[in-house]
Amino acid sequence: MIRLVGHGAVAQALVDVQVRVAGRPAQADIQEDESGRGRAGQFGHELHEAVAFSDKNEHSAFWITSNQLSSSLFPLKRHYELYPEVTIDTSINVSCQRADSFFTTFPKVIDTLVLDVQGAELKVLRGMGQLIYQFQWCLVETFITELYEGSALQPELDAWMRLQGFQNAEYFPIYPDEWGDTLYRRES
């Protein structure tokens, strides 16, 4: 399984990549180095690395929020109405990478992708390139409304996933009529 999850703290502001080789649960998070940036680490059978994934290899603003869970490559939009206590503290410039350029070697046994990157899900999926075809299952955070300015909504994600050979197997609402998680299954 590959689990891509966005973190909000400056030290963990980028995506925490966990590559599970033996299916063991996470044993640690990204560690902060002297400069305050995340660094890679090997924890048991998992590799953790701080990286911002997108659909292009480029620099982008990364919006850091007050609650450290809502930070994103996209500024907040409807998020302000649902969670008025969450504000944008600052933004930093980050270097984004396509997943297919980051993973130069890719374990052949990984069949599940878990993606929760605060509105950047479609950008990350597009940046997977041919790697997307290795997955049988993708659990993706999806939005019914635009919590983040410019983020893809569930119908757009569903359409893109269908083009890649996946079907929407089940939607799990977390905040009804706003956002949740969608399980996509590769069609046989």
Side-chain angles (χ1 to χ4, degrees):
M1 170 175 57
I2 290 187
R3 180 176 165 259
L4 305 179
V5 181
H7 289 276
V10 175
Q12 299 175 332
L14 309 179
V15 176
D16 178 6
V17 180
Q18 297 180 23
V19 181
R20 290 186 180 208
V21 177
R24 294 198 171 115
Q27 297 177 16
D29 255 335
I30 292 178
Q31 302 298 310
E32 186 175 321
D33 67 14
E34 311 79 52
S35 69
R37 295 175 27 201
R39 65 175 169 79
Q42 181 78 35
F43 302 99
H45 291 278
E46 297 183 356
L47 169 70
H48 293 242
E49 174 114 13
V51 63
F53 285 118
S54 188
D55 55 347
K56 297 180 181 116
N57 294 325
E58 63 184 5
H59 285 85
S60 177
F62 186 84
W63 305 92
I64 299 173
T65 59
S66 57
N67 75 340
Q68 301 186 3
L69 296 174
S70 300
S71 299
S72 176
L73 290 172
F74 294 100
L76 303 179
K77 190 171 181 180
R78 179 148 167 73
H79 196 290
Y80 283 124
E81 297 170 38
L82 298 178
Y83 308 100
E85 70 281 4
V86 178
T87 59
I88 292 177
D89 286 346
T90 190
S91 69
I92 59 173
N93 190 31
V94 296
S95 178
C96 298
Q97 271 189 278
R98 289 177 53 93
D100 59 1
S101 67
F102 177 81
F103 292 108
T104 54
T105 59
F106 197 79
K108 302 295 183 211
V109 297
I110 296 176
D111 68 351
T112 304
L113 171 68
V114 178
L115 191 57
D116 179 351
V117 288
Q118 287 65 44
E121 286 75 14
L122 186 56
K123 286 175 129 328
V124 173
L125 287 165
R126 286 181 174 152
M128 294 295 254
Q130 295 298 308
L131 297 177
I132 192 72
Y133 301 111
Q134 289 195 212
F135 301 114
Q136 297 303 309
W137 300 94
C138 296
L139 182 64
V140 180
E141 182 176 49
T142 50
F143 299 93
I144 308 303
T145 61
E146 197 176 10
L147 267 66
Y148 296 90
E149 186 178 315
S151 63
L153 301 181
Q154 186 179 18
E156 187 178 1
L157 273 163
D158 284 353
W160 190 87
M161 292 297 281
R162 269 193 305 278
L163 290 174
Q164 311 316 309
F166 288 88
Q167 66 178 347
N168 180 331
E170 189 164 356
Y171 175 70
F172 305 95
I174 294 173
Y175 195 115
D177 301 322
E178 300 291 342
W179 65 278
D181 291 326
T182 300
L183 180 64
Y184 295 98
R185 180 181 67 230
R186 176 162 303 287
E187 296 175 332
S188 301

